[in-house]
């Protein structure tokens, strides 16, 4: 099937959204936790969290246009911090439920039965079951003028990775951590590690380093 720019314009909006949301592939699955200045908690599922460079260590995510109240956005503006929590396989239905439009005074930790965890020195709530938890401080944001979406940029303050899925060279094995991926806005996938390869160089082929690591880590 081939869809041109013109075809896309004439598709029913739900079908178009599904196609566009899915066509760039499986994306990361995270819950973003925040609080407002009164420490009212909020938690929401996001599929747009992305690596933005390691030095300084930055993470970004995309927020839909601010045409309606966005609790995650408002809270980040109030308190400057947010947590990013990888969604493990056994939490995907509860995580999905956080996308419902709960009221400001309702915490998705309670409404969606997701256990929370707090770390010393961080005001934001984390998802207890997540095997990768990241604390971020708000740095800046960029308006995407073409469609009104906003890219939020945070600086990593802390990363907590479950011991079961990280090796001595700090390689994270998402298969071992039961990480999942998201297709579009409604489909959840498990992940399987195919291989891990050595750094690619022009004068020699990359080699597999996964086999050895599989048995040692
Ligand atoms: C699978 C999935 C992925 C989502 N990813 C995003 C996203 O990347 N950006 C966004 O603004 N909303 C995303 N949403 C929608 C938010 O989860 C939803 O708007 C939520 O109610 C926001 O909560 P808040 O107002 O408490 O911040 C996603 C929803 C689902 C189901």
């Amino acid at each position: 099937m081939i869809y041109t720019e013109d075809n896309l314009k004439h598709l029913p909006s739900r079908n178009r959204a599904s196609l566009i949301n899915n066509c760039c592939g499986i994306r990361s699955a995270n819950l973003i936790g925040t609080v407002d200045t009164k420490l009212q908690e909020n938690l929401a599922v996001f599929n747009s969290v992305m690596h933005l460079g390691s030095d300084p260590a930055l993470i970004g995510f995309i927020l839909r246009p601010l045409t309606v109240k966005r609790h995650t956005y408002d809270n980040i503006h109030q308190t400057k911090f947010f947590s990013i929590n990888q969604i493990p396989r056994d939490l995907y239905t509860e995580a999905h439920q956080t996308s419902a439009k709960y009221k400001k005074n309702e915490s998705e930790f309670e409404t969606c039965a997701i256990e929370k965890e707090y770390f010393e020195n961080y005001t934001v709530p984390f998802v207890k079951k997540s095997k990768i938890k990241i604390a971020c401080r708000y740095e800046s944001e960029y308006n995407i003028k073409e469609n009104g979406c906003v890219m939020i940029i945070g600086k990593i303050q802390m990363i907590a990775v479950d011991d079961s899925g990280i090796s001595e060279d700090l390689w994270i094995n998402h298969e071992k951590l039961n990480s999942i991926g998201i297709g579009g806005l409604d489909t959840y996938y498990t992940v399987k590690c195919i291989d891990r390869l050595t750094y690619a160089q022009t004068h020699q082929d990359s080699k597999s380093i996964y086999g050895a690591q599989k048995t040692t880590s």
Side-chain angles (χ1 to χ4, degrees):
M1 301 247 227
I2 294 179
Y3 294 93
T4 64
E5 190 179 357
D6 193 49
N7 297 146
L8 291 175
K9 244 188 290 179
H10 296 102
L11 285 176
S13 66
R14 272 192 174 272
N15 298 0
R16 182 176 52 236
S18 174
L19 176 64
I20 304 294
N21 236 305
N22 263 305
C23 71
C24 59
I26 311 296
R27 291 186 271 160
S28 62
N30 288 285
L31 286 159
I32 296 188
T34 52
V35 282
D36 66 12
T37 45
K38 293 181 185 136
L39 302 184
Q40 170 65 51
E41 295 161 342
N42 193 79
L43 188 71
V45 58
F46 285 79
N47 63 11
S48 56
V49 172
M50 69 197 100
H51 162 80
L52 286 180
S54 319
D55 189 18
L58 299 179
I59 288 193
F61 68 94
I62 303 290
L63 263 169
R64 292 173 180 176
L66 304 173
T67 44
V68 296
K69 273 262 163 231
R70 305 254 176 235
H71 299 148
T72 302
Y73 180 82
D74 291 348
N75 290 354
I76 290 175
H77 266 261
Q78 285 182 31
T79 61
K80 308 292 179 210
F81 287 92
F82 56 100
S83 72
I84 297 177
N85 306 269
Q86 162 265 344
I87 302 173
R89 193 198 156 109
D90 59 352
L91 204 67
Y92 76 91
T93 50
E94 293 89 339
H96 186 78
Q97 189 58 31
T98 66
S99 64
K101 290 185 176 57
Y102 291 106
K103 295 198 186 88
K104 175 91 178 85
N105 62 358
E106 291 177 307
S107 163
E108 286 82 0
F109 284 100
E110 265 85 58
T111 57
C112 305
I114 295 176
E115 204 178 342
K116 64 191 159 195
E117 180 178 16
Y118 276 91
F119 287 93
E120 220 178 289
N121 301 326
Y122 299 98
T123 49
V124 284
F126 293 81
V127 173
K128 187 154 191 202
K129 268 191 173 176
S130 291
K131 299 285 174 64
I132 306 174
K133 304 173 178 103
I134 306 169
C136 286
R137 193 186 64 224
Y138 169 85
E139 282 292 310
S140 60
E141 67 188 63
Y142 293 89
N143 178 46
I144 297 170
K145 65 176 176 7
E146 286 78 5
N147 60 12
C149 287
V150 180
M151 177 186 251
I152 303 287
I153 297 184
K155 196 168 189 183
I156 295 180
Q157 307 290 291
M158 183 273 291
I159 308 173
V161 185
D162 194 90
D163 292 347
S164 63
I166 186 159
S167 59
E168 267 174 22
D169 65 351
L170 305 189
W171 173 61
I172 292 176
N173 183 336
H174 285 280
E175 181 180 338
K176 283 206 171 156
L177 293 180
N178 280 325
S179 296
I180 59 168
I182 298 181
L185 288 170
D186 55 10
T187 314
Y188 296 86
Y189 293 84
T190 54
V191 297
K192 185 145 182 57
C193 181
I194 305 168
D195 206 349
R196 185 185 179 201
L197 300 177
T198 55
Y199 185 77
Q201 288 175 293
T202 50
H203 60 275
Q204 64 181 40
D205 290 341
S206 306
K207 292 192 176 52
S208 172
I209 43 177
Y210 182 53
Q213 226 145 4
K214 215 171 167 180
T215 48
T216 53
S217 60

